[in-house]
Amino acid sequence: MEQTLKINPAQYELLNMLSCIDRDEDVSELKNLIVKFLNTRLQNEIEHLWDNGTLTEQKVEVWPHTHMRTPYR
C-alpha cells in the first residue's frame, strides 16, 4: 500500500522559506523559535480551557490513573 503525503498551504509556504537555510546553527535557532511559538499557543489554550471550566483540578488529578492510549488491535 502506497501512501501519498499531502502538504497544506502553510506547510508549503514554510518549506519555500526554509529552502534558503543551510547552516546547522540556523536550523537549531529556528527549531527553538518554533518550539517557543507552539508552547505559547499550548499555554494559551490551557488557560482558555481552565478559564471556561473545561479543564479543572479534579480532571487533572485523574490523569495519572487513566489509560489514554489508543488500542492498536
Side-chain angles (χ1 to χ4, degrees):
M1 180 189 324
E2 186 176 320
Q3 289 183 322
T4 303
L5 177 64
K6 294 187 178 187
I7 297 176
N8 68 39
Q11 292 168 323
Y12 183 77
E13 189 64 33
L14 282 172
L15 285 173
N16 279 334
M17 292 188 316
L18 294 175
S19 66
C20 64
I21 295 178
D22 58 356
R23 294 184 334 156
D24 289 343
E25 299 85 21
D26 293 338
V27 172
S28 179
E29 185 178 347
L30 181 60
K31 181 178 177 182
N32 288 333
L33 286 169
I34 292 171
V35 167
K36 287 178 185 178
F37 169 78
L38 293 173
N39 183 54
T40 300
R41 298 275 306 262
L42 178 60
Q43 290 298 322
N44 290 340
E45 182 62 22
I46 290 171
E47 288 177 19
H48 172 72
L49 292 172
W50 195 270
D51 291 343
N52 74 17
T54 302
L55 184 61
T56 64
E57 186 74 31
Q58 292 80 17
K59 287 182 181 179
V60 172
E61 288 176 359
V62 173
W63 289 349
H65 312 290
T66 305
H67 181 74
M68 295 184 204
R69 293 186 180 173
T70 303
Y72 293 103
R73 287 192 246 164

